[in-house]
Amino acid sequence: MGNKHGTSLPTHILHVKTGDKKGAGTDANVAVVLHDDQGKKSAPMTLDRPLRDSLERGSMDAHPVSDTSGLGKIRKMEITMDAFGLAPDWFVESVHIEHQQDKSIRVFPIHRWIRPKRHYVFDHLDCKLPQDDEQKEQRKSELEERRKLYEFAPKAPGLPVQVNQLPADEAMSDAYKWDIESRKKTLSRQAGLTGLMTLSGEWDSFDDIYALYSDTIGKPSEQILHWRDDEWFGAQRLAGVNTILIALCSSIPEKFGVTAEMVEPFLEGLTLKQALDAKRLFIIDLKILEGIRHNPETEIGAPLVLFFQKGNQRLVPVAIQLQQDKGPNNPVFLPSDHPMTWLYAKMYYNNADATFHQVVTHLGFTHLLIEGVALATHRNLSPSHPIFRLLAPHFLYLIAINDLAVSSLVSENGWVDKTMSSGRLGMFDVVAKAIVDWRLDIDGTLPKHLEARGLLDENVLPNFYYREDALPLYWIIKKYVSQIINHFYDSPEKMVEDYELNSWRQELELEREKGGIGIKGIPGSGTFSSNEELIVTCTSAVFLASVGHAAANFPQYAEYAFPPNYPPFIKGQVPTNKNPLSEEDILQSLSSKRQTLDVMVVTKILSEKGTNSLGDFEVQYLYDPVSVKAADTIGKNWLS
């Protein structure tokens, strides 16, 4: 390439990385022109490696060039290509230009499809606010194309928006395959469950369930050992998959039929008032589940639970009401009730909690809401925009996973219909309710959410493990985001003049009914007026996509694999009395054998870690020194 005589020593080497996306490679003839910082430029040079396929999907190709000796520091690069080949479009991840004499490297992060017969110009580091970019028309035309590719709408009334058709940019790489059905078959075979997957009927004993677990799929030993214990039930609220519900109780709600006489025997000598004043009582209210649709074999409660923090700092339940309004057919279950009756009440609460976890905490908040942010980002921010480059690593495969999950897990007669009490229609009901009141500046901002629940003070509810782990991570992420945003917006005028950013914000907060994403509580009033407002917004998106998702997703197998520990499905009606129950009654209420195996296998797959940890990005988008240092810092802080 560019070596006319074949004997000249190369002056530069172009290291060209083709993206790992479906159709990313090209057979077209690609030409580049390099510009230096003195205004000089090279002749057009063709990226060609004789006798060798190059520019293939996922490849890194080195192209020596020898007719650039008169150039200084490379500042700009032009790319053009013809339409040769069946599918000439080419997805370029990056071009690193290495100077052979001093070994310096100039980086051009592209992260775009290059189309035939178009002219592209990219600056060194390619990270500029739109008002400062010479390539304004290029940015404009790219965004016009992306708005067509990333059109969106809710999949059902009231739901968050999703992309209408999965764009090629969002296709998963060869290195990340997320095929639920094939993984189910493979894992079932490896774990020795293949023959069992055809089992039908109910469980005869807990020993039959214990026998399911092999070394391959893993035995949820702690859950099997402790699932009956009150302290374990309390610990599930503090370090399980759904830690976003528990709140400080300052008074007993009128609808909760708890009296002092009922609970004071379990308060270690305190009166109800003393326990409230000492901030040792906590509550969960799942009113959101009231009236939702459900599978015909089941009924889902809308429970209230009162917890007490013991002197040993362990949290235990002291009262459970399984429906909202107190009354004779809605008893308050107590630890002094028949042991199996009390255990069954805890299981029914956990069934409601599991419904909220899968529907809201996991799918609703860390998948669907974040997809809305990703869609607005792709549609309004050029890949050259620093906020696009800041957020893009956290959207990796998200839209593709959501598309696949909705089509395979949440489809009619799919996994949700078969294994969860709510079924997919109840799931839609709960998500639609949850997003009505969700606010980014409260629910999506961890310190504010903890404060709203009375739990920001570390002296309240010691051993709240999620808070102890997640809050420091929130501050690490915010510091990382702040360093980048403060670098690029070093004057108020830059934020005011950033028309791409203003467009992004407007689409994020525009109501879904009017064609927007519909996110409430974005800081500021219509526009960002300070760096802090943008920092809070971006920090929330990064936190939910990373820490929030990790907390809700990765422990799933441990919680769900043993059905009575955290049952997604319970047959029968919500209890309306305190009649004594037997172990046989509990066994008969559990998921069937086939349902249990399906839950085990799918939650095992969902619990697998498929992408790198925060800061260790699969694809690097930001190369400027400030951003690189910020990313390096987040990785070091993460480890410490």
Side-chain angles (χ1 to χ4, degrees):
M1 179 194 80
N3 188 345
K4 297 178 182 178
H5 305 291
T7 57
S8 301
L9 293 175
T11 54
H12 293 82
I13 295 179
L14 275 60
H15 300 277
V16 181
K17 173 67 174 174
T18 299
D20 187 5
K21 297 178 181 290
K22 184 177 181 180
T26 186
D27 292 324
N29 297 297
V30 179
V32 299
V33 175
L34 305 182
H35 296 247
D36 71 5
D37 54 357
Q38 302 300 315
K40 293 182 290 185
K41 66 179 183 179
S42 72
M45 301 174 292
T46 303
L47 298 184
D48 181 27
R49 296 297 303 274
L51 305 179
R52 177 182 170 184
D53 284 337
S54 61
L55 310 184
E56 298 295 321
R57 175 179 177 175
S59 68
M60 171 68 86
D61 300 297
H63 297 271
V65 297
S66 57
D67 50 1
T68 56
S69 57
L71 297 181
K73 282 188 177 180
I74 307 300
R75 185 185 71 84
K76 187 165 61 177
M77 177 174 59
E78 300 177 55
I79 301 179
T80 56
M81 62 188 292
D82 63 19
F84 181 79
L86 295 176
D89 290 3
W90 177 39
F91 189 89
V92 188
E93 187 170 304
S94 63
V95 179
H96 290 59
I97 301 177
E98 179 185 0
H99 192 285
Q100 284 299 88
Q101 185 173 355
D102 62 15
K103 299 301 180 183
S104 62
I105 294 178
R106 306 288 281 177
V107 181
F108 292 80
I110 310 297
H111 302 110
R112 287 171 174 82
W113 288 96
I114 303 299
R115 312 292 186 190
K117 300 182 179 180
R118 297 190 193 177
H119 180 250
Y120 297 86
V121 180
F122 301 105
D123 289 335
H124 170 56
L125 302 180
D126 189 46
C127 193
K128 288 186 176 181
L129 301 178
Q131 63 268 32
D132 299 328
D133 197 338
E134 296 175 359
Q135 314 307 323
K136 290 181 174 60
E137 286 303 313
Q138 179 173 299
R139 291 174 79 127
K140 180 181 177 182
S141 63
E142 283 180 335
L143 286 174
E144 287 173 353
E145 180 180 353
R146 292 167 79 86
R147 288 190 189 102
K148 295 175 183 176
L149 289 172
Y150 287 89
E151 290 181 342
F152 60 80
K155 299 288 186 184
L159 296 189
V161 301
Q162 289 187 262
V163 72
N164 291 344
Q165 185 173 353
L166 189 68
D169 278 23
E170 302 302 323
M172 296 180 193
S173 71
D174 282 340
Y176 186 96
K177 292 295 186 185
W178 203 73
D179 184 332
I180 286 287
E181 290 306 317
S182 65
R183 285 289 293 119
K184 280 174 65 175
K185 292 175 183 177
T186 301
L187 182 59
S188 298
R189 183 177 66 253
Q190 292 171 343
L193 299 175
T194 304
L196 299 176
M197 293 300 285
T198 60
L199 289 177
S200 59
E202 316 308 322
W203 296 106
D204 296 322
S205 69
F206 286 113
D207 287 339
D208 287 346
I209 306 177
Y210 302 153
L212 280 176
Y213 308 102
S214 66
D215 291 339
T216 300
I217 198 164
K219 185 175 184 178
S221 300
E222 282 194 288
Q223 286 73 15
I224 290 173
L225 183 64
H226 299 297
W227 72 278
R228 300 170 188 259
D229 301 342
D230 285 355
E231 288 188 359
W232 178 262
F233 184 83
Q236 287 180 298
R237 319 296 56 105
L238 308 179
V241 291
N242 194 29
T243 56
I244 71 170
L245 290 175
I246 193 160
L248 179 67
C249 183
S250 56
S251 63
I252 304 298
E254 175 61 29
K255 63 184 178 181
F256 199 175
V258 167
T259 65
E261 292 75 20
M262 286 181 181
V263 297
E264 284 180 355
F266 316 112
L267 303 184
E268 296 184 336
L270 298 178
T271 66
L272 178 59
K273 184 179 185 306
Q274 288 171 334
L276 288 167
D277 291 343
K279 297 184 177 181
R280 292 177 63 180
L281 287 176
F282 303 87
I283 193 168
I284 294 177
D285 182 353
L286 278 170
K287 178 178 174 56
I288 192 172
L289 301 182
E290 190 174 32
I292 68 167
R293 289 172 286 183
H294 51 79
N295 272 316
E297 297 176 77
T298 70
E299 187 177 50
I300 300 175
L304 297 104
V305 185
L306 188 67
F307 294 88
F308 174 67
Q309 182 198 359
K310 295 165 59 177
N312 64 3
Q313 297 190 342
R314 301 294 179 87
L315 191 71
V316 293
V318 294
I320 300 174
Q321 182 175 295
L322 293 174
Q323 300 286 17
Q324 284 288 297
D325 297 323
K326 61 185 179 184
N329 294 321
N330 187 24
V332 175
F333 295 89
L334 303 170
S336 54
D337 293 336
H338 185 278
M340 287 297 169
T341 302
W342 173 240
L343 184 62
Y344 199 43
K346 290 191 293 181
M347 286 175 57
Y348 250 102
Y349 169 79
N350 265 345
N351 173 247
D353 197 276
T355 299
F356 187 93
H357 162 253
Q358 287 292 6
V359 175
V360 179
T361 307
H362 185 205
L363 176 67
F365 291 165
T366 72
H367 279 270
L368 299 184
L369 273 176
I370 298 302
E371 177 171 343
V373 179
L375 291 170
T377 301
H378 285 297
R379 288 166 51 86
N380 296 281
L381 300 179
S382 163
S384 301
H385 199 292
I387 301 302
F388 179 96
R389 293 192 173 278
L390 167 65
L391 296 177
H394 310 286
F395 302 148
L396 183 66
Y397 308 138
L398 171 71
I399 297 176
I401 288 172
N402 289 356
D403 182 72
L404 182 59
V406 169
S407 63
S408 62
L409 299 181
V410 193
S411 58
E412 187 173 0
N413 296 318
W415 185 78
V416 169
D417 273 349
K418 292 176 180 177
T419 63
M420 291 186 63
S421 292
S422 67
R424 79 186 200 290
L425 297 180
M427 173 177 277
F428 295 162
D429 292 343
V430 183
V431 172
K433 286 184 179 184
I435 63 171
V436 168
D437 297 322
W438 191 89
R439 293 182 58 88
L440 183 141
D441 57 351
I442 298 175
D443 307 277
T445 303
L446 181 63
K448 293 295 184 182
H449 193 220
L450 290 171
E451 184 178 40
R453 293 154 56 198
L455 299 177
L456 185 58
D457 184 349
E458 63 183 14
N459 295 310
V460 177
L461 193 55
N463 295 334
F464 186 11
Y465 305 108
Y466 173 74
R467 177 187 61 202
E468 293 174 8
D469 290 342
L471 198 54
L473 298 179
Y474 175 88
W475 296 122
I476 290 171
I477 292 170
K478 188 175 183 185
K479 180 180 179 181
Y480 161 68
V481 170
S482 299
Q483 288 173 319
I484 294 171
I485 288 177
N486 289 334
H487 170 60
F488 286 100
Y489 295 98
D490 55 4
S491 71
E493 293 76 22
K494 288 188 176 180
M495 185 166 288
V496 172
E497 295 169 2
D498 187 345
Y499 48 87
E500 287 184 3
L501 184 71
N502 290 330
S503 175
W504 178 68
R505 182 202 167 102
Q506 288 166 12
E507 186 161 85
L508 279 176
E509 63 185 355
L510 183 67
E511 297 93 329
R512 292 189 305 281
E513 297 78 10
K514 296 180 180 179
I517 306 299
I519 292 179
K520 299 176 182 177
I522 297 176
S525 180
T527 59
F528 292 113
S529 59
S530 70
N531 285 12
E532 179 64 15
E533 292 172 353
L534 180 57
I535 288 166
V536 168
T537 301
C538 293
T539 300
S540 295
V542 173
F543 180 87
L544 287 171
S546 56
V547 179
H549 179 261
N553 182 68
F554 295 134
Q556 284 190 89
Y557 177 75
E559 282 289 83
Y560 284 96
F562 182 58
N565 177 67
Y566 199 60
F569 188 96
I570 294 183
K571 291 192 293 291
Q573 305 299 304
V574 174
T576 58
N577 59 62
K578 294 188 175 190
N579 293 342
L581 299 174
S582 66
E583 190 168 284
E584 176 69 19
D585 293 322
I586 289 178
L587 278 168
Q588 291 303 309
S589 74
L590 294 177
S591 304
S592 69
K593 294 176 181 178
R594 184 175 297 178
Q595 286 173 312
T596 299
L597 291 164
D598 211 6
V599 169
M600 284 172 57
V601 172
V602 170
T603 57
K604 183 68 173 182
I605 294 168
L606 295 176
S607 299
E608 293 173 345
K609 185 180 177 184
T611 56
N612 294 349
S613 298
L614 187 63
D616 179 21
F617 303 126
E618 284 85 351
V619 178
Q620 184 174 347
Y621 285 85
L622 287 161
Y623 284 88
D624 67 278
V626 171
S627 300
V628 169
K629 183 178 179 181
D632 184 55
T633 301
I634 196 175
K636 290 178 180 177
N637 287 335
W638 206 255
L639 291 173
S640 64

